[in-house]
Amino acid sequence: VDVLPVLWKGGWGMNWKERAIRQIFFECKRCGTCCQEPKIVDIYPRDALRIARRFRISMRLAAKRHFMRHPKDDERLTLRNVAPCEFYQNGCRIYRSRPLICRMYPYLAGPTIYCETSTGELPEMDDQDVIIKLAKVTNLRILEIEDYLRYIGAWKDGRFTS
């Protein structure tokens, strides 16, 4: 399979609602390409907590073992070992506890998509229905989804931005 990076229509920051709907219907083939590409994996506070709980260790120990300061922003963390991801060995070892950015791959995790995806026709959905369905497929709370979408500039005042 040829996994050339694909920039979505107009690049990152455009067509947020379309990207979110595509995320809902995305069926991961679990090829592991996204887990093996060298890149930054942002770690949000709730991610760090989920990972610490997964290994039944303290946040301090989890931070020491698995996280480091973001190279572009001292206020944020990233996963320490990502080329390949330290948690990927013939599949994700922390799938149920994986970081939010991994849950949002491929359409809402960054501008580049490293796997084959469908570009077919999408159903009409209102913004709140999209959020509810995103929460269901990512196994996250609605507030977590909205916080993340606000962070990436996709959500404002209870609706998708353009």
Side-chain angles (χ1 to χ4, degrees):
V1 175
D2 189 14
V3 285
L4 295 174
V6 177
L7 287 178
W8 199 247
K9 284 194 251 171
W12 186 237
M14 303 282 291
N15 304 306
W16 288 115
K17 186 174 179 179
E18 178 181 335
R19 289 177 73 107
I21 294 170
R22 289 200 186 283
Q23 184 68 43
I24 291 166
F25 292 101
F26 175 68
E27 291 184 34
C28 180
K29 304 277 191 267
R30 302 210 183 198
C31 68
T33 301
C34 59
C35 302
Q36 297 177 53
E37 295 294 324
K39 60 188 167 293
I40 293 171
V41 177
D42 289 321
I43 298 294
Y44 298 91
R46 289 182 182 125
D47 295 331
L49 183 59
R50 272 193 296 273
I51 291 170
R53 284 181 183 160
R54 162 67 174 76
F55 291 110
R56 295 185 174 113
I57 58 177
S58 69
M59 282 292 293
R60 178 169 288 193
L61 185 55
K64 185 177 180 179
R65 286 184 184 172
H66 304 294
F67 315 129
M68 65 183 199
R69 291 271 174 226
H70 194 288
K72 296 180 182 175
D73 182 353
D74 280 345
E75 300 293 314
R76 294 170 32 209
L77 294 174
T78 66
L79 196 57
R80 184 177 300 280
N81 300 307
V82 294
C85 176
E86 67 182 286
F87 301 121
Y88 184 81
Q89 293 172 343
N90 297 322
C92 182
R93 294 185 301 125
I94 62 164
Y95 189 80
R96 294 180 62 84
S97 304
R98 70 195 186 282
L100 194 146
I101 201 84
C102 301
R103 293 166 190 261
M104 295 299 185
Y105 189 81
Y107 294 104
L108 296 171
T112 307
I113 298 173
Y114 289 96
C115 57
E116 290 185 45
T117 59
S118 170
T119 57
E121 208 166 308
L122 298 171
E124 287 293 320
M125 298 170 73
D126 68 35
D127 291 0
Q128 290 302 316
D129 195 32
V130 173
I131 295 297
I132 291 166
K133 289 186 185 315
L134 267 177
K136 187 172 185 171
V137 301
T138 60
N139 199 27
L140 294 167
R141 296 182 322 214
I142 289 172
L143 289 175
E144 288 178 284
I145 298 289
E146 290 175 342
D147 284 348
Y148 175 74
L149 293 175
R150 268 192 293 280
Y151 178 77
I152 64 172
W155 189 257
K156 185 177 181 179
D157 301 325
R159 50 184 253 197
F160 283 97
T161 59
S162 50

